[in-house]
């Protein structure tokens, strides 16, 4: 099968934009991605589009893909809408890669968007809750913060970990997000502030939870047969992995790991022919602080129970051996559901092409993205490689 390359990627700022509609946000992200294509890209060059969105607020649930692609001039281009809860963006990228590898397309747009801040808190909780297990979680009043709080409680009971370790995730990611002009919560926080924040769902507090955000992100993919027409940069999609798991937390074998992440990571490593030790950095799904700790272990960065030690020792800091969430992650950068996974790819593309500004790492070769739906019902993992030294 043919290799697939990222030829352009861009996003809007993530945040609260009550005056902006979803079509406008998507158009900005698409334009930003096209601007990153070295040799230019005409709209007629795009063979297929895949758009990720949960449809928060009920806006254009049917045909939401064509609603945004037609708006940017992609007329008569086949467009599919992907909904896999918070993992939709990662699965949109995966479907774009599949279309190119199959030979059905040479250039694919994988994008995502969400508008989440124009509703009341109760309405937003409803739309977030539809991604949880309906009968035994959502209809009994359990929110996602409550579900992840159960995971956090189980983790703290099982391992040498404390609520302060959860706060360390927030401190690190806010420090990274403060250097990201696209971040929703682009400010630093102290460990003292993160520890003392108001409780949301014990043991999780306000600083352990990501914001709900508006925003869009777009990724342009091309086959090995045409990539040279568009760019001299060679950011290859080296590995792709995805898996699903039971949607409800109570139905699973473990509260302290996500089997879909483990399996998706395993498949991505195998296809990329590398292991976790070969990674230079990663963007992982930190909707809640506990999710980042669990991701370290599920993706093989360390053994079970050792994630807090990575944080304490600075391994996942920007100057550590394996920087994680240089963008600020969901915690600081933001979480507009459909755009989250594609936004992770934007950060990886920026890092691998030397365009990450104040967040730029030193000559990275391999970057990983990890995008989770719900509390782990679906996970997509991608590994990207910079093939040409700058």
């Amino acid at each position: 099968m043919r290799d697939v390359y990222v030829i352009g990627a861009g996003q809007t700022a993530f945040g609260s934009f009550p005056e902006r509609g979803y079509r406008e946000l998507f158009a900005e992200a698409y334009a930003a991605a096209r601007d990153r294509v070295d040799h230019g890209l005409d709209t007629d060059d795009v063979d297929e589009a895949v758009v990720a969105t949960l449809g928060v607020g009920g806006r254009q649930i049917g045909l939401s893909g064509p609603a945004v692609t037609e708006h940017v001039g992609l007329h008569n281009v086949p467009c599919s809408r992907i909904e896999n809860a918070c993992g939709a963006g990662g699965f949109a990228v995966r479907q774009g890669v599949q279309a190119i590898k199959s030979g059905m397309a040479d250039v694919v747009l994988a994008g995502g968007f969400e508008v989440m801040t124009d509703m009341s808190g109760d309405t937003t909780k409803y739309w977030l809750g539809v991604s949880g297990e309906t009968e035994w979680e959502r209809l009994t009043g359990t929110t996602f913060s409550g579900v992840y709080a159960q995971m956090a409680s189980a983790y703290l009971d099982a391992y040498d970990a404390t609520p302060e370790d959860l706060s360390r995730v927030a401190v690190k990611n806010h420090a990274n997000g403060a250097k990201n002009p696209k971040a929703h919560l682009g400010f630093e926080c102290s460990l003292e502030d993160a520890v003392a924040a108001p409780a949301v769902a014990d043991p999780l507090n306000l600083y352990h939870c990501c914001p709900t955000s508006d925003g869009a992100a777009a990724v342009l993919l091309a086959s090995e047969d045409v990539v040279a027409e568009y760019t001299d940069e060679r950011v290859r999609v080296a590995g792709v992995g995805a898996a699903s798991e039971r949607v409800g937390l109570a139905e699973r074998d473990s509260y302290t790991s996500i089997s879909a992440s483990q399996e998706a990571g395993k498949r991505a490593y195998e296809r990329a022919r590398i292991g976790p030790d070969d990674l230079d950095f990663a963007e992982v799904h930190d909707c809640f602080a506990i999710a980042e700790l669990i991701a370290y272990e599920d993706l093989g960065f360390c053994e079970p129970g050792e994630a807090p030690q990575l944080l304490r020792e600075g391994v996942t800091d920007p100057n550590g051996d394996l920087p994680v969430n240089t963008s600020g992650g969901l915690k600081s950068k933001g979480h507009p559901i459909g755009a989250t996974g594609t936004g992770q790819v934007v950060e990886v593309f920026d890092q691998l092409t030397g365009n990450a500004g104040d967040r730029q790492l030193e000559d990275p070769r391999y970057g990983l993205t990890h995008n989770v739906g719900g509390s782990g019902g679906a996970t997509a993992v991608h590994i990207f490689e910079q093939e040409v030294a700058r």
Side-chain angles (χ1 to χ4, degrees), residues 95-364:
Q95 184 160 315
V97 171
Q98 288 178 316
I100 291 173
K101 284 187 173 293
S102 74
M104 293 186 70
D106 275 315
V107 178
V108 174
L109 164 64
F113 69 87
E114 216 73 63
V115 174
M116 305 179 68
T117 67
D118 62 347
M119 299 170 292
S120 68
D122 287 342
T123 303
T124 302
K125 283 190 290 186
Y126 168 83
W127 280 102
L128 290 172
V130 300
S131 300
E133 204 282 336
T134 300
E135 289 81 8
W136 300 107
E137 289 180 355
R138 183 163 65 89
L139 293 184
T140 58
T142 304
T143 63
F144 269 118
S145 56
V147 170
Y148 275 94
Q150 294 176 64
M151 297 168 74
S153 294
Y155 190 93
L156 297 183
D157 287 343
Y159 300 119
D160 179 22
T162 69
E164 188 171 283
D165 292 315
L166 301 176
S167 295
R168 286 190 173 92
V169 174
V171 172
K172 172 181 68 69
N173 291 349
H174 271 281
N176 292 341
K179 298 178 180 179
N180 186 352
K182 304 290 188 181
H184 187 167
L185 303 179
F187 55 84
E188 296 188 22
C189 71
S190 68
L191 183 59
E192 292 75 19
D193 286 343
V195 168
V200 173
D202 187 61
L204 300 179
N205 69 33
L206 187 63
Y207 269 99
H208 303 154
C209 309
C210 75
T212 54
S213 310
D214 306 332
V219 179
L220 288 163
L221 304 167
S223 73
E224 64 179 87
D225 297 332
V226 302
V227 62
E229 299 175 20
Y230 298 104
T231 184
D232 298 322
E233 299 280 4
R234 291 301 178 96
V235 177
R236 184 172 71 98
V237 184
V240 180
S244 298
E245 163 66 300
R246 293 177 177 88
V247 174
L249 186 61
E251 301 172 292
R252 301 180 197 165
D253 294 331
S254 173
Y255 278 29
T256 60
S257 65
I258 295 174
S259 66
S261 293
Q262 294 173 342
E263 187 60 33
K266 177 183 176 182
R267 294 172 183 173
Y269 291 132
E270 288 176 350
R271 287 165 180 160
R273 298 181 181 178
I274 68 167
D277 290 343
D278 297 303
L279 294 173
D280 295 297
F281 68 104
E283 288 286 304
V284 307
H285 197 94
D286 61 321
C287 50
F288 298 91
I290 185 61
E292 179 164 326
L293 295 179
I294 290 174
Y296 292 179
E297 299 171 10
D298 288 340
L299 295 170
F301 302 168
C302 62
E303 294 299 315
E306 295 181 357
Q309 197 64 26
L310 293 190
L311 274 172
R312 296 169 193 167
E313 296 176 355
V315 173
T316 56
D317 288 347
N319 60 352
D321 290 339
L322 182 59
V324 174
N325 286 337
T326 54
S327 70
L330 283 64
K331 176 64 197 74
S332 174
K333 182 183 178 184
H335 185 24
I337 292 177
T340 295
T342 45
Q344 290 178 327
V345 179
V346 173
E347 178 68 13
V348 170
F349 182 71
D350 284 346
Q351 289 285 355
L352 292 179
T353 57
N355 288 285
D358 292 340
R359 306 183 311 285
Q360 183 61 51
L361 302 173
E362 184 177 353
D363 199 26

Side-chain angles (χ1 to χ4, degrees), residues 21-34 41-46 48-51 64-77 79 109-111 113 216-218 220:
Y22 68 97
R23 288 182 174 94
E24 179 186 357
L25 291 169
F26 188 87
E28 180 184 333
Y30 176 59
R34 286 182 65 188
L41 177 136
D42 293 331
T43 298
D44 291 343
D45 294 342
V46 179
E48 189 160 335
V50 189
V51 175
S64 52
V68 293
T69 55
E70 281 289 326
H71 184 69
V72 299
L74 294 176
H75 307 306
N76 298 318
V77 172
C79 179
L109 164 64
F113 69 87
L220 288 163

